[in-house]
Amino acid sequence: MPTIKLKTPAKINLILSILKKRLDNYHEVETIYQTISLFDVITVEYRESSELNIRIKSNSNEMPLDSSNLAYKAAHRFLEAIHQKADVKINITKNIPIAAGLAGGSSDAACVLNALNKINFYPLKEDIIKRIAQSLGADISFFLKSGSAIGKGIGDILQPIKTPNLDIVLVKPKNVAISSKWAYEKYDELSIKPAPKRIFDLLEGIEENNIEKLSENLFNSLEYVVFKEHHQLKVYKERLINLGCYNALLSGSGSAIFAIAKNEEHAREVEDKIKSEALDTWVVKTISVSSSIS
């Protein structure tokens, strides 16, 4: 039975500007995706069979293990595309927190697509894999290659960019999980919405290796509505900045907050000062790689 083991990264959004709501109820955005060194580990076992059987196992009890799981959907769509039935076992070791704005589920799904294509000696070309990814969710296309990219449209029109070298403190309250659907619905209810910020100045900061310029141009359209409901997240953001980080931002729809530290030593000092029993914390770096053999 062919088996492949991969690790697949989380992402943050250095900027997330909502431009408008589309007629299909998706939101037009302008964002910069960035993968970080926090990984789930995926093991995929594959055996040809006369019946379709996809099984998900995980160390986490916080996510579904049935056909509603994105990794399950990815495997099912892949097998449909190659007109095959198979026995597929997917084991997901979750390290990326769920409902945190870090897109762990999307990363897992992209990893499964890449793994199954590799196991089957690449029957599907890149454009077909991308089409499957787009049909499953807006972030999944990015994770097919990961690294750093501008995302436009619903986040699925991608342009790779240079990866900034950042040391990051990542925090997530243990008692807060946020649905992206909820966050966007709350945003839509605002009578006056925050003006979207364009990406040009942040991109200049990346190109110039100017971390301060990059940091001062972090922006997330969803922060106001999320902080209004979950005030402690705003408190954590302010605390991270007061501890000397260049800036801090809600990741995606939350509930994770990331802060850009001066260097790795500073990041570890900040983590030591902010960590508590109520808070999960990580010190991570920006990375330019996609799913890789663990």
Side-chain angles (χ1 to χ4, degrees):
M1 178 183 291
T3 301
I4 191 167
K5 185 177 182 181
L6 301 166
K7 61 180 185 179
T8 192
K11 65 83 188 163
I12 55 176
N13 299 80
L14 297 175
I15 191 166
L16 176 56
S17 284
I18 301 174
L19 306 182
K20 65 178 181 179
K21 188 173 183 180
R22 306 183 348 166
L23 293 177
D24 60 6
N25 285 326
Y26 282 98
H27 291 79
E28 196 86 15
V29 301
E30 191 171 63
T31 188
I32 295 178
Y33 292 113
Q34 177 58 59
T35 44
I36 56 174
S37 57
L38 176 63
F39 301 93
D40 284 348
V41 178
I42 312 287
T43 303
V44 179
E45 297 180 18
Y46 183 92
R47 183 177 63 193
E48 292 183 3
S49 173
S50 59
E51 296 183 356
L52 177 63
N53 185 21
I54 301 169
R55 286 168 284 175
I56 308 281
K57 291 185 177 181
S58 179
N59 64 326
S60 172
N61 58 8
E62 296 181 43
M63 67 176 188
L65 302 179
D66 58 15
S67 60
S68 64
N69 185 291
L70 273 177
Y72 183 105
K73 291 180 180 180
H76 192 268
R77 297 278 177 88
F78 178 89
L79 293 171
E80 284 183 331
I82 64 171
H83 308 290
Q84 292 286 342
K85 293 180 180 178
D87 184 15
V88 180
K89 296 179 183 177
I90 301 168
N91 187 74
I92 303 172
T93 302
K94 288 299 290 181
N95 299 304
I96 303 169
I98 294 166
L102 301 171
S106 295
S107 185
D108 295 347
C111 182
V112 167
L113 287 174
N114 283 332
L116 288 173
N117 208 32
K118 182 179 177 69
I119 285 171
N120 285 277
F121 303 102
Y122 301 99
L124 298 183
K125 293 183 179 178
E126 186 175 317
D127 61 330
I128 303 298
I129 291 286
K130 185 175 180 181
R131 200 176 308 157
I132 295 172
Q134 288 172 327
S135 74
L136 292 168
D139 291 339
I140 299 174
S141 297
F142 165 70
F143 283 106
L144 294 174
K145 292 190 175 178
S146 300
S148 314
I150 299 168
K152 295 188 178 182
I154 62 171
D156 60 337
I157 301 170
L158 300 167
Q159 177 187 338
I161 59 171
K162 175 183 174 181
T163 297
N165 182 20
L166 304 176
D167 292 288
I168 290 170
V169 183
L170 185 67
V171 303
K172 180 197 175 296
K174 293 180 180 179
N175 64 337
V176 181
I178 296 174
S179 156
S180 58
K181 181 176 182 291
W182 171 87
Y184 278 94
E185 286 175 351
K186 287 294 182 182
Y187 174 86
D188 289 338
E189 292 172 7
L190 292 176
S191 54
I192 300 176
K193 296 176 171 58
K197 190 170 188 175
R198 308 310 296 228
I199 64 175
F200 308 120
D201 291 335
L202 199 152
L203 284 173
E204 281 187 358
I206 292 173
E207 286 300 320
E208 297 166 4
N209 294 316
N210 186 331
I211 296 177
E212 291 188 44
K213 185 173 184 177
L214 181 161
S215 300
E216 68 188 20
N217 285 287
L218 299 179
F219 175 78
N220 188 337
S221 292
L222 296 173
E223 267 198 345
Y224 173 77
V225 292
V226 172
F227 286 173
K228 186 177 179 182
E229 183 75 18
H230 300 283
H231 181 69
Q232 70 266 50
L233 297 179
K234 184 178 180 181
V235 173
Y236 285 126
K237 172 176 175 167
E238 292 170 350
R239 173 83 171 129
L240 287 161
I241 294 170
N242 289 337
L243 286 169
C245 293
Y246 288 117
N247 203 350
L249 191 73
L250 183 77
S251 181
S253 56
S255 57
I257 303 280
F258 70 91
I260 299 177
K262 295 173 183 176
N263 50 47
E264 185 177 353
E265 182 181 2
H266 177 232
R268 298 204 178 278
E269 289 173 0
V270 171
E271 182 191 32
D272 285 341
K273 290 176 181 176
I274 201 169
K275 65 183 178 183
S276 71
E277 290 184 2
L279 199 65
D280 286 323
T281 63
W282 302 264
V283 170
V284 298
K285 290 182 174 291
T286 50
I287 58 172
S288 58
V289 299
S290 60
S291 303
S292 59
I293 296 175
S294 151

